[in-house]
Amino acid sequence: MYTVDSKNILTPQNGLNIYRGRTENSICLTEVAGADPMDIGIKTDAPDQLNQVLKTRRSKGIIIIGNLGDPYNKYEEEYLLTRKCLQVIENNDYGVVISTRQSLIERDLDVLKGIARKTKCAVELSFPSFDDEVIKKLEGEEVISASERFRLIDVFRENGIDIIAKIYPIIPFVNDQETLDIVQRLTECDILGIDFMEYRLAIKKSVRDFFYTEFKNRFPEAYENFISEYEESGELLPRYYKENLKTITEMCENSKVLCGKKKLTDWKRKYENKTTGDQMSIFDF
């Protein structure tokens, strides 16, 4: 663990990464520029920096938390940085989309409810499989089970908080033929959207060796089947890619569930004031 001295607490797209790096033993390693991706960086002054930035802005927006590391990793119980940042977001009347694979997020239900009363508030949960053993091999031993994730959907929906389900990573011969069943189940859960990451897995060159080594070690039989048909390239397309993508899109549209990168990105970028009905984009400031 190391402390991150960040000059810019938010990305141009309002991304906030309080923790970054290897917050769980995932098969997909997140590239962290200028740092060791196997270690965890912590922005200990994130709440203060965030508060200073949000107070100076003329218009509101949606803050995106958790793209480079799970905000509810093992250090959060001690540091409470995610909770403090959510309180800053609520106090400044901003919205939030927060991603996690941990049930610790339920601790902050009170703050999330406060945000949801004013504007958009969504929790993003991943559903790469229904099989808990497969989930652990994909995401790490530390993550919660599929049934726990479905329980969290019920908890948050009952409290007025939207859910975005992310089907990721999708790996041929591991979980690609399970995605239709996952989407079908999720469309029955009264959720806002399903993000299937364009139904492909892109692997940066810098972390490609790591991914394929882990793929071979964690799923040896699937890897042998994979390598007989594919190369160790930077982009993995599921089997029956076009057919399944068309079916998934139709299932979401028929259930009025947002899907596709553009629709979900547009939703995240558009601020909504539930107290007055005024709406604006994050690009208004």
Side-chain angles (χ1 to χ4, degrees), residues 1-15:
M1 186 271 285
Y2 61 96
T3 301
V4 177
D5 183 16
S6 178
K7 295 180 180 179
N8 299 311
I9 192 63
L10 294 176
T11 70
Q13 292 77 35
N14 274 0

Side-chain angles (χ1 to χ4, degrees), residues 144-158:
I144 57 176
S145 66
S147 61
E148 178 69 357
R149 299 177 201 214
F150 280 108
R151 186 189 70 80
L152 287 176
I153 287 180
D154 293 337
V155 169
F156 287 118
R157 292 302 303 124
E158 288 171 2

Side-chain angles (χ1 to χ4, degrees), residues 64-81:
I64 312 298
I65 303 178
N67 287 340
L68 292 181
D70 197 311
Y72 290 100
N73 64 81
K74 60 185 179 181
Y75 292 105
E76 173 59 21
E77 285 193 74
E78 175 185 355
Y79 286 91
L80 297 173
L81 294 175

Side-chain angles (χ1 to χ4, degrees), residues 6-16 43 45-64 85 88-89 91-94 282 285:
S6 178
K7 295 180 180 179
N8 299 311
I9 192 63
L10 294 176
T11 70
Q13 292 77 35
N14 274 0
L16 171 63
K43 299 179 183 179
D45 61 347
D48 291 336
Q49 281 200 47
L50 182 63
N51 191 46
Q52 291 174 16
V53 170
L54 298 189
K55 282 188 177 299
T56 62
R57 288 189 168 179
R58 293 184 291 108
S59 300
K60 309 298 182 183
I62 312 297
I63 308 299
I64 312 298
C85 284
V88 169
I89 290 168
N91 292 339
N92 286 278
D93 296 335
Y94 274 69
I282 67 169
F285 50 84

Side-chain angles (χ1 to χ4, degrees), residues 180 183 187 196 199 241-260 263:
L180 295 182
V183 171
T187 57
F196 42 83
Y199 203 49
Y241 169 77
K242 291 183 179 179
E243 301 94 316
N244 286 354
L245 180 58
K246 181 176 184 293
T247 301
I248 288 172
T249 302
E250 290 174 350
M251 291 166 68
C252 290
E253 290 176 348
N254 291 339
S255 302
K256 295 181 171 53
V257 173
L258 293 179
C259 70
K263 289 182 180 179

Side-chain angles (χ1 to χ4, degrees), residues 155-213:
V155 169
F156 287 118
R157 292 302 303 124
E158 288 171 2
N159 285 278
I161 297 163
D162 287 310
I163 295 290
I164 297 173
K166 180 184 288 187
I167 303 179
Y168 175 88
I170 302 173
I171 302 176
F173 297 100
V174 174
N175 62 337
D176 59 333
Q177 294 306 293
E178 192 180 1
T179 53
L180 295 182
D181 291 336
I182 294 172
V183 171
Q184 180 60 52
R185 172 76 184 278
L186 288 169
T187 57
E188 300 168 357
C189 293
D190 187 29
I191 64 175
L192 172 74
I194 298 176
D195 185 355
F196 42 83
M197 306 292 286
E198 299 183 317
Y199 203 49
R200 63 183 69 200
L201 177 61
I203 310 167
K204 292 184 178 181
K205 188 175 182 179
S206 57
V207 297
R208 202 170 298 170
D209 288 343
F210 173 89
F211 171 81
Y212 282 108
T213 298

